[in-house]
Amino acid sequence: MKYSYKLSDAVHILAYIEIAPTVALDSVTIAASVEANPSVVRRLMASLKKAGLLVSRAGAAKPHLARPASEINLLDIFKAVEVNNALLHVDPKTNMACPVGAHIQQTLDQAYDRVQRAAEAEMGQLTLQMMIDDLRQRQTATPKV
């Protein structure tokens, strides 16, 4: 199974832009922090910009948040970068002649929809500012080497 790291990387990008506004904020520098290809960072930043979470313009490496971090939540970021917003996926291939296979898709669709709604409600409560505050707290708690 392939996992998507788009949400994780998008939060990383937005937090980096907010925490380190005085450093170069070009895609190469940000990509070094994310440990990703600069083209991946550019695509994510374009999605964040399209969703109204990030302000940037071509030729100027000075992106900034479109609104305060306290007004951007994980659900906003998730919906901006994930093409398919479903967290869980039902296997579309089952044996319809089987008593389980004939109904498992509908059963799981119902259960997964419940999980999706709960996850989205929780993501809506977690702000980018909370992530940034946690990062800063961890940064100050980590001893300097």
Side-chain angles (χ1 to χ4, degrees):
M1 173 187 295
K2 186 174 185 209
Y3 296 102
S4 171
Y5 298 110
K6 289 180 183 178
L7 176 60
S8 174
D9 290 348
V11 172
H12 187 141
I13 290 165
L14 292 171
Y16 186 86
I17 289 168
E18 187 68 8
I19 289 172
T22 58
V23 301
L25 293 175
D26 58 276
S27 59
V28 173
T29 303
I30 296 170
S33 179
V34 179
E35 289 196 350
N37 188 297
S39 65
V40 170
V41 169
R42 284 190 293 275
R43 279 195 301 275
L44 286 171
M45 289 176 74
S47 295
L48 294 166
K49 181 178 178 180
K50 183 177 179 184
L53 303 178
L54 188 65
V55 176
S56 67
R57 57 177 233 264
K62 295 183 182 186
H64 60 275
L65 302 183
R67 55 186 193 255
S70 60
E71 295 176 17
I72 298 172
N73 61 49
L74 287 183
L75 185 59
D76 296 330
I77 302 166
F78 178 73
K79 288 185 173 186
V81 298
E82 290 292 348
V83 176
N84 180 348
N85 291 340
L87 296 171
L88 304 171
H89 307 279
V90 176
D91 186 346
K93 299 180 292 181
T94 60
N95 180 351
M96 292 303 173
C98 171
V100 174
H103 303 286
I104 193 69
Q105 292 166 329
Q106 296 88 348
T107 297
L108 288 176
D109 277 341
Q110 185 176 0
Y112 288 1
D113 184 54
R114 186 174 170 182
V115 170
Q116 181 81 28
R117 285 192 311 263
E120 287 186 5
E122 186 64 23
M123 289 169 73
Q125 299 300 310
L126 299 170
T127 67
L128 178 60
Q129 188 63 54
M130 291 172 167
M131 304 297 116
I132 290 168
D133 291 345
D134 188 73
L135 285 164
R136 286 184 170 139
Q137 180 180 356
R138 291 174 189 276
Q139 203 172 28
T140 58
T142 304
K144 304 286 187 229
V145 178

